[in-house]
Amino acid sequence: MFKMQNRIISVTLLAAALILFFIQPVNAAIFLDVENHWAYEAVCRASVVDLIRGYPDGNFRPEQSLSEMEALVLFMRAAGYNLDKNKSSSRVKTIPVTTVSTPQVAWGQNYLDRAVEDKLIDKLWLAEFNGDNPITRARTAGLLSRLLELPVSDSTGVTSFIDLNQGPPAYRTSIVTVARAGIISGFADGSFRPEAGLKRGEAAALLDNMIKDNWLQSVTDRQVEGWVPRIDFKPNPPEMELQTLQGSKKFKLSPEVKCFKNEKECPYQQLLHWRVIVHLDSKKQAACITLLEKREVAQENQIRGTIRAVALGKDS
């Protein structure tokens, strides 16, 4: 009896920790373990728009594998499903009556139930579903293709991978579909590694690709592009002017703003006269900025002198 109680308490604590991980925001600026990681910029953007979180200890753990349950909740929330308590989902669907048996999990049961109802999980995966197991890259591709309702691609052509036939047949089309959409890519050797796990840094990169290509309607109003003609350093926090196709608008800079140029972090003071993509935090402050292109500012030729001297062509 005592052992059973301990087990129940352990499961409850685990569930609470995982819920904290997905709901409690941890700002990208305090991640202690991503500054030298290849996915640093992607982690910054995805976290700024509240798609992915860090841990309470200030780390992101980019090399940690994502479990099946974590991946399911992460990508469903990014696609607009918000089934947390006291929050409504932006994905409004008529829930069909289903007789499919859904596995019971320690946390996120409502997400799993909805995934089964909306057929986001195929029968093979459902039969083998284990929320604690690392999710494979193949199953990630299958989940994303269904979530984003991508048009099915033929599993041949330029986006085929050298090891595509080594993956489960049920996911080969999804792998090619998601790759052609620019959401997920393979490795330098031409492989996809369908049975490999998905790391948290890789998940952030997938979310970043979906943000940049506007696959996620839930964050479209958190991304803006334009030129920076002026930065005002007098206010606290500083303020930048952004010239867009819709006109000029001012944005306050987050106290923890991050700027990136050529995938390297740079000071925000370099923003002037650059075309940028700005990602806004929940307060609509510029929190993650990517420098794209420098605008050359023409130097004005000034002629000094009296009107008579200039007209006669003499030096003043």
Side-chain angles (χ1 to χ4, degrees), residues 41 92 199:
E41 187 175 1
V92 179
K199 297 179 181 178

Side-chain angles (χ1 to χ4, degrees), residues 36-293:
N36 297 316
H37 194 272
W38 65 267
Y40 182 24
E41 187 175 1
V43 170
C44 177
R45 278 195 287 258
S47 60
V48 158
V49 297
D50 301 320
L51 291 183
I52 201 165
R53 311 282 198 253
Y55 287 87
D57 64 1
N59 289 309
F60 182 77
R61 306 177 194 173
E63 291 300 306
Q64 180 173 297
S65 294
L66 210 62
S67 73
E68 292 186 355
M69 199 66 231
E70 288 172 333
L72 186 64
V73 174
L74 176 66
F75 292 123
M76 284 183 69
R77 292 184 80 242
Y81 289 92
N82 200 334
L83 307 179
D84 302 317
K85 286 185 177 181
N86 301 322
K87 294 182 180 180
S88 59
S89 173
S90 60
R91 294 280 291 245
V92 179
K93 287 188 177 183
T94 301
I95 300 178
V97 178
T98 178
T99 58
V100 178
S101 177
T102 305
Q104 298 300 298
V105 290
W107 67 283
Q109 188 68 53
N110 49 348
Y111 281 94
L112 181 56
D113 292 342
R114 187 62 179 270
V116 173
E117 290 162 354
D118 286 357
K119 298 181 180 179
L120 302 178
I121 296 180
D122 59 272
K123 293 180 180 179
L124 176 62
W125 184 8
L126 184 61
E128 302 174 348
F129 190 88
N130 185 326
D132 296 330
N133 284 348
I135 190 169
T136 64
R137 288 169 54 83
R139 283 180 173 165
T140 300
L143 175 61
L144 292 177
S145 65
R146 290 181 174 89
L147 267 174
L148 302 177
E149 300 177 353
L150 300 177
V152 177
S153 298
D154 182 18
S155 59
T156 59
V158 294
T159 54
S160 292
F161 301 98
I162 59 174
D163 58 348
L164 185 64
N165 291 334
Q166 298 175 19
Y171 297 113
R172 292 172 189 171
T173 300
S174 295
I175 290 171
V176 174
T177 297
V178 177
R180 286 183 177 170
I183 296 170
I184 192 169
S185 58
F187 296 88
D189 61 0
S191 65
F192 183 80
R193 305 176 193 174
E195 292 301 312
L198 184 73
K199 297 179 181 178
R200 285 170 51 79
E202 293 172 328
L206 298 187
L207 290 170
D208 189 42
N209 289 338
M210 289 187 273
I211 293 169
K212 289 187 290 188
D213 293 336
N214 295 314
W215 285 107
L216 305 177
Q217 296 300 316
S218 59
V219 297
T220 52
D221 63 337
R222 304 275 291 274
Q223 177 175 271
V224 60
E225 182 176 341
W227 295 91
V228 182
R230 190 174 71 90
I231 303 176
D232 190 350
F233 297 99
K234 293 180 181 178
N236 187 19
E239 193 174 65
M240 74 173 185
E241 182 179 340
L242 193 67
Q243 190 69 41
T244 71
L245 294 176
Q246 290 73 38
S248 180
K249 191 172 182 178
K250 293 181 179 179
F251 293 95
K252 292 182 178 180
L253 299 181
S254 165
E256 288 131 358
V257 63
K258 296 288 184 182
C259 294
F260 295 91
K261 180 172 67 175
N262 299 325
E263 301 181 353
K264 298 287 178 79
E265 189 174 1
C266 64
Y268 73 82
Q269 290 84 352
Q270 294 185 10
L271 291 173
L272 193 61
H273 304 308
W274 277 81
R275 183 168 66 88
V276 299
I277 294 180
V278 181
H279 291 88
L280 308 174
D281 61 18
S282 58
K283 297 179 181 179
K284 299 296 183 177
Q285 295 179 321
C288 190
I289 306 172
T290 302
L291 283 65
L292 302 176
E293 176 187 359

